[in-house]
Amino acid sequence: MFLLLPFDSLIVNLLGISLTVLFTLLLVFIIVPAIFGVSFGIRKLYMKTLLKIFAWATLRMERGAKEKNHQLYKPYTNGIIAKDPTSLEEEIKEIRRSGSSKALDNTQEFELSDIFYFCRKGMETIMDDEVTKRFSAEELESWNLLSRTNYNFQYISLRLTVLWGLGVLIRYCFLLPLRIALAFTGISLLVVGTTVVGYLPNGRFKEFLSKHVHLMCYRICVRALTAIITYHDRKNRPRNGGICVANHTSPIDVIILASDGYYAMVGQVHGGLMGVIQRAMVKACPHVWFERSEVKDRHLVAKRLTEHVQDKSKLPILIFPEGTCINNTSVMMFKKGSFEIGATVYPVAIKYDPQFGDAFWNSSKYGMVTYLLRMMTSWAIVCSVWYLPPMTREADEDAVQFANRVKSAIARQGGLVDLLWTRVSFMVERWGSQEFRAIL
């Protein structure tokens, strides 16, 4: 029989007490309030404290840059980073000064390494346009103590470095485990809850339970991101038999909206953990899932969506008609499919505050796991959601015109740039269809 020494027994007891206290605090201050949609104001106090720290850190950083006579990068008002204009000669001299460890000789007119500079400038000229800028993260004017969010972070004093290190410990050693625990709790409850509800006979009771199980679990998942969301004009929230369309910045847009309302999701059938969640959810609520072979069949997709919205007892469909994530500075061209159905459209504008964490998912740069890790190690996710009045297609409008009218309303309300392009259509227009197809 294995016996514990007194010291080992003390450690085990302290660990057990710590876990019990932690779980109790988690249950009382996070999970239970999330279930009932109650807030104690702790997150808002946390946000105000962070804002004061960020302001101080930015001032220290700017002071350090001025003392070293370094150039500070400033973003445009739409969040895209800008640089003060400089001549090619000045930039080349700066590169030579920063990249050479030998004696500096800036009197040479040309070096072989300058070829790489001219190649880079040529590629930037081609790619740095109004559309492709929207697929890179916003650059902040202030620093939020995340080294991934501002080019100016190299100008750091000793005190700022210590503060940044303390922030890393808080985010990775305290917030990350807490958020993983909350996410696991929310997803587990969603799978178990919807599976159990799925076995109930169809009726009002099942519909009631299904709605509240979904709502409860999404609210817990929102807490897992320390999300601080402000909802405006809730009287315009989507209703049964309609289609909710919103601008798309991140995969978490879904839980941001679903934590304040009831929606039927639309998407492709997945495998793995996502597949388990989808199969459980569809048992409790008529979500619209498509097989991989069905997604490309526009007529089949339109038929399934039309059948859903014609049944006024079914929840409104949630769709992101841009078809890809944009960096929260603009709205791209909407695909016309969801506007051909003839249902009432409920526009929703979502605008994130990047000061606390960048919600944009650059899918070409980060996988889903890496992206979620970045989200869970950010300070918080802060955003505003505006429910716009419902819109219907007018008699003299085609689907494209209707989509553009809805898109303009969303962009105007969210303070976003209204772009008339998709990324592909912009390239085709800019370089010509034949040249662009040759590149593809």
Side-chain angles (χ1 to χ4, degrees), residues 163-236:
L163 184 61
W164 174 81
L166 181 61
V168 170
L169 289 176
I170 292 173
R171 290 186 292 111
Y172 282 88
C173 299
F174 176 70
L175 292 179
L176 180 59
L178 176 64
R179 289 167 175 172
I180 290 175
L182 285 172
F184 178 78
T185 302
I187 293 172
S188 300
L189 287 175
L190 180 64
V191 172
V192 174
T194 52
T195 300
V196 171
V197 171
Y199 287 108
L200 297 175
N202 293 332
R204 290 186 177 180
F205 182 65
K206 178 180 180 178
E207 182 181 342
F208 174 83
L209 279 183
S210 174
K211 286 181 177 180
H212 286 81
V213 165
H214 279 84
L215 191 63
M216 172 188 72
C217 297
Y218 285 128
R219 283 175 174 171
I220 294 174
C221 290
V222 160
R223 297 295 205 280
L225 297 169
T226 316
I228 303 167
I229 314 166
T230 304
Y231 297 98
H232 305 270
D233 300 321
R234 281 178 160 162
K235 62 182 181 295
N236 295 325

Side-chain angles (χ1 to χ4, degrees), residues 69-346:
N69 294 320
H70 283 298
Q71 177 188 8
L72 280 174
Y73 295 92
K74 293 290 184 180
Y76 293 122
T77 54
N78 59 11
I80 304 300
I81 191 158
K83 302 178 185 178
D84 293 332
T86 56
S87 67
L88 293 178
E89 290 83 359
E90 290 174 347
E91 289 193 24
I92 290 175
K93 287 180 181 179
E94 179 64 29
I95 291 171
R96 290 177 182 173
R97 279 197 300 269
S98 60
S100 178
S101 58
K102 57 186 179 181
L104 296 176
D105 180 12
N106 295 322
T107 60
Q108 288 180 266
E109 292 186 1
F110 179 78
E111 288 185 0
L112 187 60
S113 60
D114 295 341
I115 294 174
F116 297 103
Y117 169 77
F118 289 112
C119 289
R120 179 171 63 84
K121 293 299 289 184
M123 291 301 296
E124 285 180 355
T125 302
I126 293 173
M127 299 305 298
D128 194 25
D129 51 62
E130 279 300 306
V131 174
T132 52
K133 281 179 180 179
R134 313 300 163 175
F135 293 89
S136 60
E138 291 183 81
E139 183 66 21
L140 304 182
E141 187 167 358
S142 60
W143 189 37
N144 59 4
L145 298 179
L146 299 175
S147 57
R148 57 187 182 237
T149 55
N150 196 294
Y151 286 117
N152 297 317
F153 75 91
Q154 56 186 305
Y155 309 112
I156 301 179
S157 66
L158 178 61
R159 280 186 289 180
L160 261 183
T161 303
V162 172
L163 184 61
W164 174 81
L166 181 61
V168 170
L169 289 176
I170 292 173
R171 290 186 292 111
Y172 282 88
C173 299
F174 176 70
L175 292 179
L176 180 59
L178 176 64
R179 289 167 175 172
I180 290 175
L182 285 172
F184 178 78
T185 302
I187 293 172
S188 300
L189 287 175
L190 180 64
V191 172
V192 174
T194 52
T195 300
V196 171
V197 171
Y199 287 108
L200 297 175
N202 293 332
R204 290 186 177 180
F205 182 65
K206 178 180 180 178
E207 182 181 342
F208 174 83
L209 279 183
S210 174
K211 286 181 177 180
H212 286 81
V213 165
H214 279 84
L215 191 63
M216 172 188 72
C217 297
Y218 285 128
R219 283 175 174 171
I220 294 174
C221 290
V222 160
R223 297 295 205 280
L225 297 169
T226 316
I228 303 167
I229 314 166
T230 304
Y231 297 98
H232 305 270
D233 300 321
R234 281 178 160 162
K235 62 182 181 295
N236 295 325
R237 280 186 292 189
R239 298 181 181 179
N240 289 6
I243 298 178
C244 174
V245 299
N247 58 300
H248 199 25
T249 302
S250 161
I252 66 172
D253 293 340
V254 174
I255 64 172
I256 294 294
L257 294 177
S259 63
D260 189 54
Y262 314 112
Y263 299 93
M265 308 298 173
V266 178
Q268 181 180 307
V269 174
H270 294 275
L273 176 61
M274 192 65 195
V276 173
I277 297 173
Q278 285 181 319
R279 288 191 293 274
M281 289 172 62
V282 79
K283 291 177 182 177
C285 177
H287 299 286
V288 185
W289 306 131
F290 295 97
E291 296 292 341
R292 183 182 296 273
S293 58
E294 298 175 330
V295 173
K296 295 181 180 179
D297 189 340
R298 292 183 65 251
H299 297 290
L300 177 61
V301 172
K303 181 174 179 294
R304 293 273 302 277
L305 296 181
T306 302
E307 290 174 351
H308 184 99
V309 298
Q310 286 178 346
D311 188 345
K312 301 304 179 183
S313 65
K314 291 184 178 180
L315 298 177
I317 294 175
L318 177 58
I319 293 179
F320 302 99
E322 286 169 299
T324 187
C325 294
I326 312 299
N327 73 350
N328 201 40
T329 63
S330 57
V331 184
M332 287 280 190
M333 181 186 292
F334 281 1
K335 296 180 179 179
K336 65 178 182 177
S338 54
F339 300 91
E340 293 176 323
I341 298 173
T344 301
V345 171
Y346 294 85

Side-chain angles (χ1 to χ4, degrees), residues 239-245 309 312 338-347 388-407 409:
R239 298 181 181 179
N240 289 6
I243 298 178
C244 174
V245 299
V309 298
K312 301 304 179 183
S338 54
F339 300 91
E340 293 176 323
I341 298 173
T344 301
V345 171
Y346 294 85
L388 279 66
M391 301 173 71
T392 54
R393 183 172 164 181
E394 297 177 355
D396 57 344
E397 276 186 324
D398 59 23
V400 174
Q401 291 171 332
F402 183 31
N404 287 335
R405 182 160 61 92
V406 173
K407 176 172 67 72

